[in-house]
Amino acid sequence: MVEIDINRLIDFIKLYFPEDATEISDALDLLNLALDGLLSSTNTTIVEFLKNKDYDKGMELLEFSKSVSEIQDKINEYSTSISIDAEIDEEEPEEEPGEIEERRSIPNYSNYLVDSSIPHTLYEDFTHKKVVAFSFNNNRYPAKDWKDALLQTCDLLAEIDATKFSEFINDPVMKGRKISYFSKKHLDRKNAKMKNIEVYVWTNLSANSIRKLIRKLLKKFNIKLTDYYVYLRADYTPLHVHKNEEV
């Protein structure tokens, strides 16, 4: 009964308050990342208890860990269900317009360029924004689009621990409502192969969904989200606002 009520609530929010739905999905995603950190700490403590032959406490924490994991699965389910991005991401791929096409379709193109030296955090909204680079471990990497930024980030993390990265294929946290963000199978125009390991990354995602996925990846590698920055090339938000006003 509670499940039905929650699903109805989610549908209601998405229908009448899509912006709030995005905010809630974002908050749930961050909560899940925090619980992921809790699980990591719990597992470390379990190992210590077992080393000290304190088996009762070890088993107690093991049950606690299972409960947290179940809560995570449920939160991930709700976060994906309420996400507006998820519905878009799992349909047709977003095409990045070329420079020539952009110049033809967007009036006063230069008016939408932004300062590419300003760092942006992974807590920001990147709707209608174009990436030009990202920084990681104090190094800046140019990126032609959001998909490129995601793939490069995955490759950099795989260089740290390829085995750990490969485990994401079966990690429930790394799955959407209908898709797996990491796979052994290639799907044309949907995912792309990583550089040094046999893993395909789902790239058919919006800017904000890529931001969310990168946050999950960093958390899995115990890297602070504030150690990763994004740099923008352009912000087309005013253009879309004007279009909506005309409609």
Side-chain angles (χ1 to χ4, degrees):
M1 187 66 182
V2 174
E3 186 73 22
I4 295 174
D5 290 341
I6 291 176
N7 289 332
R8 289 182 61 189
L9 178 63
I10 288 174
D11 290 338
F12 188 88
I13 293 172
K14 288 169 68 176
L15 178 63
Y16 294 105
F17 310 103
E19 291 185 1
D20 292 295
T22 299
E23 288 285 334
I24 293 170
S25 176
D26 229 20
L28 289 173
D29 186 56
L30 289 174
L31 173 58
N32 227 350
L33 288 175
L35 289 176
D36 212 38
L38 175 62
L39 269 182
S40 179
S41 300
T42 302
N43 292 336
T44 300
T45 305
I46 289 173
V47 172
E48 289 299 316
F49 279 145
L50 295 180
K51 280 183 179 179
N52 296 326
K53 297 184 179 180
D54 198 340
Y55 301 117
D56 288 341
K57 288 184 178 179
M59 292 303 296
E60 186 178 22
L61 271 189
L62 183 60
E63 289 302 315
F64 170 78
S65 179
K66 289 180 180 178
S67 297
V68 173
S69 183
E70 290 173 1
I71 292 172
Q72 267 195 308
D73 290 341
K74 188 59 67 174
I75 290 174
N76 190 52
E77 177 187 331
Y78 292 147
S79 176
T80 303
S81 295
I82 202 170
S83 174
I84 303 297
D85 282 336
E87 295 186 346
I88 298 172
D89 298 338
E90 294 168 16
E91 294 174 358
E92 292 302 315
E94 287 186 0
E95 294 293 339
E96 285 285 343
E99 290 293 332
I100 296 177
E101 184 181 343
E102 281 184 342
R103 292 178 185 276
R104 287 176 180 172
S105 61
I106 300 176
N108 300 320
Y109 176 78
S110 61
N111 290 343
Y112 301 94
L113 296 178
V114 296
D115 188 345
S116 62
S117 66
I118 298 176
H120 298 267
T121 70
L122 292 173
Y123 295 100
E124 298 180 38
D125 181 1
F126 294 126
T127 304
H128 306 315
K129 298 176 177 66
K130 301 301 179 185
V131 65
V132 70
F134 67 92
S135 63
F136 175 66
N137 281 343
N138 297 318
N139 292 316
R140 178 167 166 143
Y141 302 89
K144 62 183 180 181
D145 52 36
W146 288 106
K147 298 173 185 177
D148 186 36
L150 173 60
L151 280 171
Q152 286 194 65
T153 301
C154 290
D155 286 331
L156 288 169
L157 292 173
E159 288 177 7
I160 296 174
D161 191 335
T163 301
K164 182 183 185 72
F165 201 100
S166 297
E167 292 173 354
F168 295 153
I169 292 175
N170 298 314
D171 189 335
V173 175
M174 295 300 183
K175 297 181 186 295
R177 184 171 53 184
K178 300 177 182 177
I179 62 173
S180 294
Y181 295 126
F182 303 99
S183 173
K184 287 286 187 182
K185 299 179 181 179
H186 173 60
L187 295 173
D188 189 39
R189 299 181 68 200
K190 299 290 186 179
N191 61 15
K193 184 182 177 299
M194 292 178 61
K195 187 166 58 177
N196 296 320
I197 61 176
E198 293 296 320
V199 174
Y200 289 89
V201 182
W202 193 273
T203 56
N204 185 42
L205 299 169
S206 68
N208 279 345
S209 290
I210 286 175
R211 175 206 61 184
K212 286 184 178 183
L213 183 52
I214 290 175
R215 289 196 312 210
K216 290 181 179 180
L217 289 168
L218 294 177
K219 189 66 178 179
K220 288 287 187 179
F221 275 84
N222 295 318
I223 297 171
K224 293 180 180 178
L225 301 187
T226 50
D227 288 341
Y228 187 106
Y229 293 97
V230 172
Y231 300 87
L232 301 177
R233 169 168 60 88
D235 181 357
Y236 301 145
T237 302
L239 183 68
H240 287 269
V241 170
H242 294 326
K243 283 183 178 180
N244 290 336
E245 288 177 350
E246 290 175 2
V247 175

